[in-house]
Every structure is written in structure tokens, then in C-alpha cells.
Amino acid sequence: MELTVDQDLDALTLTVTATFDHPVDKVWDLYADPRKLERWWGPPGAPATVIEHDLHAGGIVHYKMTIDGGQEHHGRWDVESVDAPNSFVVLDRFANADGSPAADMPTTTMRFALAPTEAGCQMVCVAEYASRELHLDKGRLSNETRRAA
Amino acid sequence: MSQNDEAESEQLSLLPGPRRRRATSRPAPKAAQTDPVARVVVDTGLAHLDRLFDYLVPADLADATRRDILRRAVEGELSVSRLAEAYPMSFAAVQKHIAVLERVGLVTKQRRGRELLVTSDRDAVDRARRALDELAEAWKGRVQRMADLLAEGN
């Protein structure tokens, strides 16, 4: 597995490029299968549970991340477009417990592309902050909670 | 000098020095991938320039220029006209880059007398950098977990 991460400060984007020693279909499954997605999306301190999963244009993926003490933070993907198993685009947002989008919170657009390589598959994810008000990625919440305690 | 002449001289002094056009024609520059055409208004107050221009933003200058403008703004306040002198492009093109940095909240313009100063919003720059750093860390963890899951096999 190889990984490069590039930041663009004035476009407010992060580009993650990773190559895996497995074919495109297997990497696609990590997103398309909710039982797989929840195993890697959250960090060890805040594992994710996927509650709803409809990875089609217009669908949503509703998930929550559970901090050690039991506190839950909900998020959702508004799925903009899907071209399985090659690419998809979602709007990642904070959500309420019932999966509805949280009001007045920043959003992140994520564009994923998978391409076959000699050894397996290359994944490119471009995450773009949509708001001038920047907040922490939900994946970091576990550390934030520990600091606040 | 009449009042009008004085005013025009002041305004003309804001413009960078004249550039000599080369006699031989050059190939058209490769345009920037995003926002290749900037519709700009030249802010000189000269009546015959008081219309919209379409400026082709060169690819090789686009991002590097914005980063450089941001660097200068972080180091200290600079007037828009002084900034414009530093780059081999039109005044309007520099304004366009500043506008992009303004839109994402990294710089603000403040009027001081007749000058327009570009200042960095340090907090915004720091927050942007921290947010991107944290997102980068989150993704490093995710990619490792993806690889581990793939290795587990089905």
C-alpha cells in the first residue's frame, strides 16, 4: 500500500492518493458494502456504525461514530453521483440522530475515483471544504473529547 | 497642472511600468485548469478602460501566484498596486488572484487612505492548515485500515 496526501490551502482541498495490492472491485466493496465501510471509516477511538446505506445518486449513507464513553456523533453522505466501480461523489455532512442533516454545519464534498494499476488499484479521493468556517473532521472527535474531559 | 491632470497622474502612478511588446508573436499560453478566464475590471479610473475584460489566466502562474500572494500577505501588509508590481501579469490579473484568496477567507482587503491593503487573516490561515492537517491524519488511518481489511481477504 502506498499513500500520498496533498493539501491545497487556498482551494481548501485535500487529495489522497493510495495504491492497493487488490483489484478495483475489492476496493469498491469497501465503500459499497456497509458492513465493510463501518470497519475502516472511523478511527479505533471512535468506530463507525453504518445505519443506512444507499450508494446511488440521490441516496444517503447515514452513519454514527461512537466515542469510548458512549457518546454518538452522526454523519451522512448525500450521494451526488455513482459510476460503479469507478467513481462516486458525495457531500459529507454532520447529521442528527435520526439521520437528518444538522443545520448550519460545514460540509465537505468528496470525490472518489478508482483505477486499475499493474499491481492492483489506485484510489484518489479529493475532499473539498465548502465553508470558510472550518471544523474538525469527525474522525478526530475521539481526541477532541479526551482533551475536553 | 489642472485638477483633472493631477488626479490622472496619481491614478497612472498606480499602474506598473510600461511593458514592451515583443515584435515576434508568442504561442498562446496554456490556460489554468480551473477558472481559465477571469472577467476583470481594471481598477485605474481611466474612462476608456472602464469595461469588462476577459483575461486568460496562464496555467503555470495561477496557483504559484496565489501561494506567493498569500505568503507576502502573511509576512506583512502590502498594497494591491505594490503586489501587482511583483508579478509579470496585468494589475487586473493580480486582483483576480486576490479575489480568489478573499473568497476562501485567507486574505482581506482594507482601505487605508487611497491604498487598498491585502492582509492575511492569520486565524483563517491557521485554521485552514490545521483542518487540512487533521483531515490528512484521518485519511492516513483510513487507508491503513482499508489495506488491513483487504489483506484479511474474503
Side-chain angles (χ1 to χ4, degrees):
Chain A
M1 182 270 289
E2 280 167 32
L3 170 70
T4 55
V5 179
D6 290 304
Q7 296 182 12
D8 187 329
L9 201 61
D10 70 354
L12 297 180
T13 63
L14 189 85
T15 301
V16 180
T17 306
T19 52
F20 300 99
D21 299 331
H22 290 81
V24 165
D25 286 344
K26 290 279 187 265
V27 180
W28 180 262
D29 269 352
L30 298 181
Y31 292 96
D33 181 342
R35 302 286 75 84
K36 291 199 172 103
L37 177 59
E38 65 193 6
R39 291 189 58 194
W40 63 268
W41 184 252
T49 308
V50 175
I51 298 163
E52 254 189 84
H53 185 282
D54 179 16
L55 198 62
H56 295 94
I60 70 150
V61 174
H62 171 205
Y63 62 92
K64 67 179 178 183
M65 298 172 69
T66 308
I67 316 298
D68 295 334
Q71 198 181 37
E72 292 178 352
H73 295 265
H74 289 252
R76 64 184 260 159
W77 292 354
D78 289 6
V79 184
E80 211 177 282
S81 62
V82 176
D83 173 27
N86 308 304
S87 64
F88 70 101
V89 180
V90 303
L91 192 65
D92 190 24
R93 324 168 65 163
F94 290 87
N96 300 310
D98 65 356
S100 58
D104 300 324
M105 291 297 273
T107 61
T108 306
T109 299
M110 298 191 295
R111 295 167 207 281
F112 296 90
L114 301 181
T117 62
E118 261 186 47
C121 165
Q122 182 192 75
M123 173 193 84
V124 178
C125 169
V126 180
E128 178 180 351
Y129 282 106
S131 166
R132 283 169 60 161
E133 298 306 316
L134 298 169
H135 286 251
L136 304 172
D137 181 73
K138 292 189 283 298
R140 303 289 297 171
L141 282 174
S142 58
N143 290 335
E144 273 299 295
T145 309
R146 273 197 277 277
R147 275 203 289 275
Chain B
M1 272 205 282
S2 73
Q3 264 188 331
N4 271 346
D5 286 343
E6 263 183 343
E8 196 169 310
S9 292
E10 276 181 355
Q11 287 164 342
L12 284 171
S13 72
L14 290 175
L15 288 174
R19 273 180 203 88
R20 309 231 172 278
R21 286 205 157 268
R22 281 202 286 202
T24 55
S25 65
R26 288 172 286 182
K30 181 162 170 252
Q33 272 195 308
T34 54
D35 300 331
V37 179
R39 179 147 287 186
V40 296
V41 171
V42 182
D43 188 18
T44 64
L46 298 175
H48 68 288
L49 292 178
D50 189 16
R51 64 173 179 87
L52 293 172
F53 288 83
D54 283 338
Y55 173 76
L56 189 72
V57 180
D60 54 354
L61 286 177
D63 294 328
T65 303
R66 281 205 288 274
R67 271 192 269 277
D68 202 56
I69 290 172
L70 183 60
R71 176 186 62 78
R72 287 171 194 266
V74 167
E75 284 170 6
E77 296 177 341
L78 271 178
S79 69
V80 175
S81 46
R82 281 294 308 279
L83 268 178
E85 285 166 18
Y87 305 104
M89 61 180 67
S90 69
F91 187 64
V94 173
Q95 282 188 305
K96 167 74 177 175
H97 287 304
I98 292 169
V100 172
L101 290 169
E102 249 187 316
R103 182 168 55 81
V104 294
L106 291 174
V107 301
T108 54
K109 288 202 304 245
Q110 288 166 358
R111 192 161 279 286
R112 183 182 295 169
R114 279 185 302 114
E115 292 213 310
L116 213 49
L117 299 178
V118 178
T119 59
S120 78
D121 182 349
R122 271 184 198 278
D123 279 348
V125 174
D126 287 343
R127 269 187 280 121
R129 196 167 280 132
R130 260 185 290 129
L132 289 175
D133 284 345
E134 283 165 1
L135 187 58
E137 285 310 301
W139 270 103
K140 286 174 190 168
R142 283 176 182 149
V143 168
Q144 185 57 61
R145 292 190 291 276
M146 288 172 84
D148 292 345
L149 250 187
L150 289 164
E152 264 180 30
N154 314 317

